[in-house]
Amino acid sequence: MAKKISKLMSTRFFIIFILLQPFIDLLTSGSMLLWTWEYSFGTIVRSLFLGVMVVYVMFEGSKRIKIYSLFLFAAFGANLIVNYFFKSGFSFFAEIQYMIRYVYTIMTLLTYVTIINRNPETDIKEKIIKYLYYYLVMIVVVFIAADVSDTVITSYAYHRLGHSGWFFAANDIGNTIGMLLPVSFIYAYRKYRTSGALLYFVTPVAAVYPLLMLGTKGGYFAAILGMLGALAAFGYDVVFGKRKQTMKILLLITVVLVFSIVIYPKTYVSYNINYIVAVKGDEGKTQVETEQFIIGGGREDILEETETMSKDADFLQKIFGMGYKGNYRSFYDKGIVVKPIEKDFHELYYYYGGVGLLIYILPMLYLLGFSIMKLLMNLKKITFEHFLYVTSIVLGLFVANFAGHVLSAPSVGYVLMLIMALLYKDVVKLEREEKTIV
């Protein structure tokens, strides 16, 4: 009995934690505006939650997950030891603080996959989808309230336009909304099937509003890709699921998509891009250089600096990584301020080495490879939900590779890993049905 109660409470705790995300982010914004502490409210809370996840996985995880976790900790531990001896200006707390960001994200995947594996017959998947939907509801409400009260936090310090509601990090909240958008259609459609009302589609449609208000390229791209993914998913449902009632949803999504495209010249992101073009023109930059800056936001320059550091790095640093910002001291001595690369997979490679990168992405490669293989083996059982999961995951990984703030942002990586776990849950269900039939 005690074990059953413990199991129920632990599972419930991790599921309810999903609903706490927007409140954690809002309190984080408040702490960053009001506190003078080095660490924000979100950093403290999520660091504590990371500790809980590690304990849970090490006690409740499968043998493979436990072994993987040990290899992960060993790789990051080796990184710290190597850089302690070879990195000039080594700061243990700075290294740990940035390392925790990445560890938090991958531990989220391991934790929720473990929960799913230990509770195969429960309605955990439905609860996660429902809570992700209400997570998005709260974000939309916050943006509207911030706009109405004229108390928004601007996305940029000066010149460029856009705001992030009451959330502090525009890129982070934009990436989060972008991944929640396709998944919210799943819950809305389920409610539509049972009630016949389109009311629940107000949330995914309204979510386009904060994405346009952000003024970031990623936010606008997320709105367009999210709607295109939903269009493809429900189009598939009409053709292969033969559900004619889905036509209303297709029409709604089409209208929102066309509106988002037509309104582009009037959006903050259009103004910001035009501003960058004007500034770069005044600086004498070529069209190609300007386009590269618009796409990468200057990340390519930082990447080149990091590549130079890597070439001059010690042999062990090339294997286990150079740590946060690489061997930045050599550039500081030249008067060059080094910033993070803000491309997650590149950061993993240069900061934590080829060994760290390979170990880190292994669970994602396995889970996604397993899921894709099983879906291809069960083509007739593919549903619109799979399209929407994949849309969110592709968006998350795409942004992680080109603009960062996904795997390295705990609030964003948390959502991506939850959606990967949901896809895994669906695929495992297909596999069980396949074995039952056989």
Side-chain angles (χ1 to χ4, degrees):
M1 178 63 71
K3 286 185 177 180
K4 287 184 178 179
I5 293 174
S6 175
K7 177 181 176 182
L8 177 64
M9 291 302 292
S10 63
T11 300
R12 185 176 296 170
F13 168 74
F14 286 113
I15 300 302
I16 291 177
F17 192 71
I18 299 169
L19 278 180
L20 298 180
Q21 298 307 300
F23 300 104
I24 294 172
D25 291 336
L26 287 172
L27 289 171
T28 298
S29 297
S31 70
M32 296 183 76
L33 291 172
L34 302 175
W35 292 357
T36 57
W37 296 2
E38 184 178 354
Y39 305 107
S40 69
F41 177 83
T43 299
I44 296 170
V45 171
R46 290 188 169 108
S47 295
L48 292 173
F49 186 67
L50 171 60
V52 174
M53 288 194 291
V54 170
V55 171
Y56 180 79
V57 164
M58 296 310 295
F59 277 95
E60 304 291 343
S62 65
K63 184 178 180 180
R64 283 188 297 180
I65 285 180
K66 290 177 182 177
I67 292 173
Y68 167 80
S69 299
L70 293 175
F71 273 103
L72 178 71
F73 299 145
F76 281 98
N79 171 272
L80 287 172
I81 294 171
V82 167
N83 285 298
Y84 175 79
F85 288 104
F86 294 102
K87 182 173 182 175
S88 177
F90 175 81
S91 170
F92 180 79
F93 289 105
E95 298 291 342
I96 285 291
Q97 187 176 3
Y98 208 72
M99 190 179 287
I100 283 175
R101 292 168 170 257
Y102 281 104
V103 175
Y104 181 95
T105 296
I106 200 64
M107 288 307 299
T108 298
L109 180 62
L110 301 180
T111 299
Y112 284 90
V113 166
T114 298
I115 290 172
I116 288 171
N117 285 338
R118 291 183 59 81
N119 301 272
E121 305 303 328
T122 63
D123 60 347
I124 284 179
K125 173 191 164 188
E126 285 66 32
K127 287 182 179 178
I128 292 176
I129 293 174
K130 177 181 177 180
Y131 289 174
L132 287 176
Y133 178 87
Y134 283 107
Y135 183 179
L136 184 60
V137 169
M138 286 184 274
I139 292 174
V140 173
V141 170
V142 166
F143 264 84
I144 294 173
D147 252 336
V148 171
S149 62
D150 195 24
T151 54
V152 300
I153 298 175
T154 56
S155 300
Y156 300 96
Y158 48 84
H159 299 313
R160 287 186 272 182
L161 302 178
H163 73 80
S164 52
W166 291 331
F167 299 101
F168 199 80
N171 285 320
D172 292 8
I173 197 64
N175 294 339
T176 299
I177 298 171
M179 289 186 290
L180 287 174
L181 177 59
V183 177
S184 68
F185 276 109
I186 296 175
Y187 184 75
Y189 184 64
R190 289 181 179 180
K191 288 296 183 179
Y192 172 67
R193 290 285 305 278
T194 57
S195 66
L198 290 170
L199 177 64
Y200 285 88
F201 283 95
V202 170
T203 296
V205 169
V208 173
Y209 168 74
L211 289 173
L212 296 178
M213 289 297 100
L214 285 168
T216 63
K217 301 181 293 293
Y220 184 79
F221 171 76
I224 300 300
L225 182 61
M227 286 298 162
L228 284 173
L231 198 66
F234 289 111
Y236 178 89
D237 195 53
V238 168
V239 176
F240 295 98
K242 298 181 179 178
R243 297 190 179 106
K244 293 183 179 180
Q245 66 265 42
T246 311
M247 288 299 298
K248 291 181 181 178
I249 303 168
L250 273 177
L251 178 61
L252 176 65
I253 295 170
T254 301
V255 170
V256 176
L257 178 61
V258 171
F259 171 79
S260 300
I261 294 172
V262 171
I263 202 176
Y264 172 77
K266 302 293 183 180
T267 60
Y268 289 152
V269 68
S270 175
Y271 173 89
N272 292 339
I273 289 176
N274 289 334
Y275 171 78
I276 292 172
V277 170
V279 170
K280 293 301 175 182
D282 292 340
E283 294 176 356
K285 301 294 184 181
T286 65
Q287 183 178 346
V288 173
E289 290 173 329
T290 301
E291 289 174 353
Q292 287 178 343
F293 185 86
I294 290 172
I295 294 172
R299 291 176 177 84
E300 296 303 323
D301 294 334
I302 302 171
L303 183 58
E304 285 182 14
E305 293 173 357
T306 310
E307 288 174 348
T308 301
M309 296 178 201
S310 180
K311 290 177 182 177
D312 299 332
D314 184 86
F315 175 73
L316 287 177
Q317 283 188 308
K318 291 179 180 179
I319 297 176
F320 294 105
M322 300 178 291
Y324 178 50
K325 291 186 181 180
N327 294 328
Y328 64 89
R329 182 56 65 87
S330 60
F331 279 79
Y332 272 26
D333 294 341
K334 299 176 185 177
I336 301 173
V337 177
V338 179
K339 299 178 181 179
I341 302 171
E342 292 189 345
K343 288 187 171 190
D344 290 342
F345 294 108
H346 290 82
E347 283 192 352
L348 282 167
Y349 176 74
Y350 287 110
Y351 293 175
Y352 307 111
V355 172
L357 172 63
L358 181 61
I359 292 176
Y360 190 90
I361 66 174
L362 197 59
M364 290 186 282
L365 289 177
Y366 172 79
L367 188 146
L368 292 176
F370 173 80
S371 299
I372 292 171
M373 181 182 70
K374 288 299 176 182
L375 288 174
L376 292 176
M377 291 171 62
N378 296 273
L379 289 174
K380 293 183 179 180
K381 296 182 180 179
I382 292 177
T383 68
F384 75 97
E385 293 186 7
H386 297 124
F387 275 88
L388 293 170
Y389 289 142
V390 170
T391 299
S392 292
I393 293 169
V394 168
L395 173 63
L397 293 177
F398 180 86
V399 174
N401 187 57
F402 291 99
H405 297 280
V406 178
L407 302 178
S408 60
S411 61
V412 186
Y414 180 82
V415 172
L416 176 60
M417 296 301 121
L418 278 176
I419 296 171
M420 282 191 184
L422 287 173
L423 177 62
Y424 169 77
K425 170 72 172 176
D426 252 22
V427 169
V428 168
K429 183 180 178 181
L430 285 178
E431 187 179 31
R432 287 200 183 102
E433 290 175 355
E434 182 184 355
K435 289 180 180 179
T436 302
I437 293 172
V438 174

